């Protein structure tokens, strides 16, 4: 079995990154994590990835005159790792259309809501303010529109009486760590396509 080569883009601790790395350690998993790239040099996830022997890189967008130049450099790093797929795991930057088009059908993201509901930020606060009975997370293909790409997998989580954004986020994160590796498995094995 030839495993697909995957890079993960992070901005912080990379808990979903860690879930993907753990899943990829299984010998029958169809993908291997070959690189982790962050837009923040201080992202704790970089040290975690390096501890697993995975190549890492950090690029600060502020060091580049334009977003296009930043994203062109990101593409060069990803291509140097010969990646087949890109997973966004808490990468806190809106990606430009050229970059998204370059990886169309080969880049996925995890979002903490049941898309198409609650695109963007502060999903848990907004869900609680609306009084919804369930919330959750979605793994989806990345397209130029924010959180608009086709869904691969979703997990539903009941909203409990007395939930806070933090308590809801904690329960949803458990589901994120379950469905993200499964969605990558489906993509890398050819079970799903954009």
């Amino acid at each position: 079995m030839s495993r697909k080569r995957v890079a993960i883009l992070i901005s912080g601790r990379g808990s979903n990154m860690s879930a993907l790395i753990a899943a990829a350690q299984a010998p029958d998993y169809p993908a291997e994590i070959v690189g982790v790239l962050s837009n923040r040099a201080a992202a704790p996830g970089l040290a975690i990835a390096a501890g697993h022997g995975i190549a890492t890189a950090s690029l600060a967008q502020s060091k580049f005159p334009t977003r296009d130049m930043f994203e062109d450099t990101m593409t060069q790093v990803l291509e140097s790792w010969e990646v087949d797929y890109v997973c966004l795991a808490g990468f806190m930057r809106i990606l430009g259309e050229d970059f998204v088009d370059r990886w169309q059908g080969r880049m996925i993201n995890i979002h903490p809501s049941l898309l198409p509901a609650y695109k963007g930020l502060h999903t848990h606060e907004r869900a609680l303010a609306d009084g919804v009975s369930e919330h959750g997370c979605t793994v989806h293909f990345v397209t130029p529109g924010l959180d608009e790409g086709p869904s691969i997998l979703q997990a539903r989580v009941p909203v409990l009486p007395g939930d806070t954004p933090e308590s809801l986020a904690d329960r949803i994160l458990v589901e994120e760590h379950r469905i993200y590796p499964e969605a990558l498995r489906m993509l890398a094995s050819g079970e799903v396509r954009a």
Side-chain angles (χ1 to χ4, degrees):
M1 172 184 79
S2 128
R3 302 172 87 200
K4 298 295 184 186
R5 296 172 63 83
V6 176
I8 304 173
L9 305 189
I10 64 169
S11 292
R13 65 190 166 132
S15 74
N16 273 303
M17 171 205 75
S18 293
L20 293 171
I21 289 171
Q25 288 172 338
D28 59 345
Y29 195 76
E32 61 176 321
I33 311 305
V34 298
V36 173
L37 187 150
S38 177
N39 62 323
R40 293 181 51 242
L46 289 173
I48 295 168
H52 285 279
I54 295 167
T56 62
S58 67
L59 295 170
Q61 188 166 340
S62 59
K63 300 267 197 309
F64 293 84
T66 66
R67 179 167 79 179
D68 283 349
M69 291 173 79
F70 168 67
E71 292 180 353
D72 287 349
T73 306
M74 281 202 332
T75 292
Q76 288 166 17
V77 172
L78 296 172
E79 287 177 343
S80 76
W81 292 336
E82 299 178 350
V83 303
D84 299 299
Y85 297 107
V86 176
C87 292
L88 306 182
F91 187 69
M92 301 309 285
R93 288 228 84 60
I94 305 266
L95 293 164
E97 206 162 323
D98 286 350
F99 185 84
V100 172
D101 286 346
R102 168 77 181 74
W103 297 98
Q104 191 86 47
R106 300 190 299 138
M107 183 161 54
I108 60 176
N109 182 42
I110 183 120
H111 182 75
S113 80
L114 295 170
L115 290 174
Y118 307 113
K119 297 173 183 173
L121 299 173
H122 311 297
T123 61
H124 310 311
E125 290 86 342
R126 288 156 55 205
L128 289 172
D130 286 349
V132 298
S133 61
E134 65 175 7
H135 192 39
C137 51
T138 305
V139 181
H140 65 95
F141 286 102
V142 178
T143 58
L146 179 66
D147 300 326
E148 283 179 1
S151 293
I152 301 170
L153 278 179
Q154 288 189 317
R156 295 176 181 277
V157 172
V159 177
L160 304 178
D163 255 335
T164 63
E166 294 72 26
S167 65
L168 190 52
D170 287 346
R171 289 205 315 285
I172 288 172
L173 196 60
V174 172
E175 294 301 309
E176 290 181 31
H177 294 167
R178 180 180 67 81
I179 69 168
Y180 208 175
E182 177 59 14
L184 178 58
R185 184 197 67 73
M186 291 165 68
L187 182 65
S189 66
E191 268 178 54
V192 292
R193 286 192 170 77

